[in-house]
PDB file of all heavy atoms in Angstrom:
ATOM      1  N   ASP A   2      95.054 -63.554  18.167  1.00 97.00           N
ATOM      2  CA  ASP A   2      94.515 -64.316  19.279  1.00 97.00           C
ATOM      3  C   ASP A   2      93.845 -63.381  20.285  1.00 97.00           C
ATOM      4  O   ASP A   2      94.397 -62.313  20.619  1.00 97.00           O
ATOM      5  CB  ASP A   2      95.620 -65.078  20.005  1.00 97.00           C
ATOM      6  CG  ASP A   2      96.109 -66.281  19.228  1.00 97.00           C
ATOM      7  OD1 ASP A   2      95.579 -66.541  18.138  1.00 97.00           O
ATOM      8  OD2 ASP A   2      97.031 -66.959  19.726  1.00 97.00           O
ATOM      9  N   ARG A  29      91.547 -66.328  16.565  1.00 96.00           N
ATOM     10  CA  ARG A  29      91.465 -67.411  17.540  1.00 96.00           C
ATOM     11  C   ARG A  29      91.006 -66.818  18.862  1.00 96.00           C
ATOM     12  O   ARG A  29      91.579 -65.824  19.326  1.00 96.00           O
ATOM     13  CB  ARG A  29      92.824 -68.099  17.713  1.00 96.00           C
ATOM     14  CG  ARG A  29      92.744 -69.372  18.555  1.00 96.00           C
ATOM     15  CD  ARG A  29      93.987 -70.246  18.357  1.00 96.00           C
ATOM     16  NE  ARG A  29      95.164 -69.674  18.976  1.00 96.00           N
ATOM     17  CZ  ARG A  29      95.825 -70.224  20.004  1.00 96.00           C
ATOM     18  NH1 ARG A  29      95.408 -71.361  20.519  1.00 96.00           N
ATOM     19  NH2 ARG A  29      96.918 -69.657  20.482  1.00 96.00           N
ATOM     20  N   TYR A  54      96.305 -70.908  27.960  1.00 96.00           N
ATOM     21  CA  TYR A  54      96.465 -70.280  26.644  1.00 96.00           C
ATOM     22  C   TYR A  54      97.629 -70.849  25.852  1.00 96.00           C
ATOM     23  O   TYR A  54      97.519 -71.138  24.657  1.00 96.00           O
ATOM     24  CB  TYR A  54      96.620 -68.768  26.793  1.00 96.00           C
ATOM     25  CG  TYR A  54      97.038 -68.089  25.506  1.00 96.00           C
ATOM     26  CD1 TYR A  54      96.234 -68.159  24.363  1.00 96.00           C
ATOM     27  CD2 TYR A  54      98.245 -67.398  25.432  1.00 96.00           C
ATOM     28  CE1 TYR A  54      96.625 -67.553  23.181  1.00 96.00           C
ATOM     29  CE2 TYR A  54      98.631 -66.786  24.254  1.00 96.00           C
ATOM     30  CZ  TYR A  54      97.820 -66.862  23.129  1.00 96.00           C
ATOM     31  OH  TYR A  54      98.210 -66.276  21.954  1.00 96.00           O
ATOM     32  N   GLY A  55      98.763 -70.983  26.468  1.00 84.00           N
ATOM     33  CA  GLY A  55      99.936 -71.422  25.715  1.00 84.00           C
ATOM     34  C   GLY A  55     100.814 -70.238  25.364  1.00 84.00           C
ATOM     35  O   GLY A  55     101.223 -69.478  26.229  1.00 84.00           O
ATOM     36  N   GLY A  56     101.115 -70.052  24.058  1.00 81.00           N
ATOM     37  CA  GLY A  56     102.030 -68.996  23.642  1.00 81.00           C
ATOM     38  C   GLY A  56     101.404 -68.042  22.652  1.00 81.00           C
ATOM     39  O   GLY A  56     100.264 -68.191  22.236  1.00 81.00           O
ATOM     40  N   GLY A  57     102.204 -67.038  22.265  1.00 87.00           N
ATOM     41  CA  GLY A  57     101.719 -66.011  21.356  1.00 87.00           C
ATOM     42  C   GLY A  57     101.597 -64.679  22.066  1.00 87.00           C
ATOM     43  O   GLY A  57     101.832 -64.577  23.276  1.00 87.00           O
ATOM     44  N   ARG A  58     101.226 -63.666  21.331  1.00 94.00           N
ATOM     45  CA  ARG A  58     101.033 -62.329  21.906  1.00 94.00           C
ATOM     46  C   ARG A  58      99.581 -61.928  21.677  1.00 94.00           C
ATOM     47  O   ARG A  58      99.252 -61.238  20.717  1.00 94.00           O
ATOM     48  CB  ARG A  58     101.988 -61.317  21.287  1.00 94.00           C
ATOM     49  CG  ARG A  58     103.463 -61.634  21.509  1.00 94.00           C
ATOM     50  CD  ARG A  58     104.314 -60.413  21.192  1.00 94.00           C
ATOM     51  NE  ARG A  58     104.002 -59.324  22.095  1.00 94.00           N
ATOM     52  CZ  ARG A  58     103.860 -58.044  21.711  1.00 94.00           C
ATOM     53  NH1 ARG A  58     103.974 -57.709  20.434  1.00 94.00           N
ATOM     54  NH2 ARG A  58     103.584 -57.101  22.589  1.00 94.00           N
ATOM     55  N   PRO A  59      98.698 -62.315  22.580  1.00 97.00           N
ATOM     56  CA  PRO A  59      97.275 -62.097  22.353  1.00 97.00           C
ATOM     57  C   PRO A  59      96.816 -60.701  22.754  1.00 97.00           C
ATOM     58  O   PRO A  59      97.544 -59.932  23.386  1.00 97.00           O
ATOM     59  CB  PRO A  59      96.634 -63.128  23.273  1.00 97.00           C
ATOM     60  CG  PRO A  59      97.568 -63.136  24.456  1.00 97.00           C
ATOM     61  CD  PRO A  59      98.951 -63.013  23.845  1.00 97.00           C
ATOM     62  N   LEU A  78     101.298 -63.004  29.641  1.00 97.00           N
ATOM     63  CA  LEU A  78     101.119 -63.510  28.276  1.00 97.00           C
ATOM     64  C   LEU A  78     101.865 -62.673  27.240  1.00 97.00           C
ATOM     65  O   LEU A  78     101.754 -62.948  26.042  1.00 97.00           O
ATOM     66  CB  LEU A  78      99.627 -63.540  27.917  1.00 97.00           C
ATOM     67  CG  LEU A  78      98.717 -64.406  28.790  1.00 97.00           C
ATOM     68  CD1 LEU A  78      97.298 -64.413  28.233  1.00 97.00           C
ATOM     69  CD2 LEU A  78      99.251 -65.824  28.903  1.00 97.00           C
ATOM     70  N   ASP A  79     102.590 -61.641  27.701  1.00 96.00           N
ATOM     71  CA  ASP A  79     103.255 -60.730  26.766  1.00 96.00           C
ATOM     72  C   ASP A  79     102.245 -60.201  25.754  1.00 96.00           C
ATOM     73  O   ASP A  79     102.458 -60.214  24.537  1.00 96.00           O
ATOM     74  CB  ASP A  79     104.417 -61.419  26.044  1.00 96.00           C
ATOM     75  CG  ASP A  79     105.300 -60.448  25.269  1.00 96.00           C
ATOM     76  OD1 ASP A  79     105.316 -59.252  25.617  1.00 96.00           O
ATOM     77  OD2 ASP A  79     105.947 -60.878  24.291  1.00 96.00           O
ATOM     78  N   ALA A  80     101.110 -59.726  26.277  1.00 97.00           N
ATOM     79  CA  ALA A  80      99.992 -59.306  25.434  1.00 97.00           C
ATOM     80  C   ALA A  80     100.336 -58.087  24.596  1.00 97.00           C
ATOM     81  O   ALA A  80     101.111 -57.216  25.010  1.00 97.00           O
ATOM     82  CB  ALA A  80      98.773 -59.003  26.299  1.00 97.00           C
ATOM     83  N   ARG A  81      99.729 -58.022  23.438  1.00 96.00           N
ATOM     84  CA  ARG A  81      99.895 -56.849  22.577  1.00 96.00           C
ATOM     85  C   ARG A  81      98.940 -55.729  22.958  1.00 96.00           C
ATOM     86  O   ARG A  81      99.175 -54.567  22.621  1.00 96.00           O
ATOM     87  CB  ARG A  81      99.688 -57.229  21.116  1.00 96.00           C
ATOM     88  CG  ARG A  81      98.279 -57.620  20.726  1.00 96.00           C
ATOM     89  CD  ARG A  81      98.176 -57.947  19.250  1.00 96.00           C
ATOM     90  NE  ARG A  81      98.918 -59.148  18.917  1.00 96.00           N
ATOM     91  CZ  ARG A  81      99.575 -59.320  17.767  1.00 96.00           C
ATOM     92  NH1 ARG A  81      99.578 -58.371  16.859  1.00 96.00           N
ATOM     93  NH2 ARG A  81     100.209 -60.451  17.530  1.00 96.00           N
TER      94      ARG A  81
END
Side-chain angles (χ1 to χ4, degrees):
D2 286 359
R29 189 163 72 115
Y54 170 61
R58 299 195 63 223
L78 300 185
D79 191 24
R81 68 179 67 216

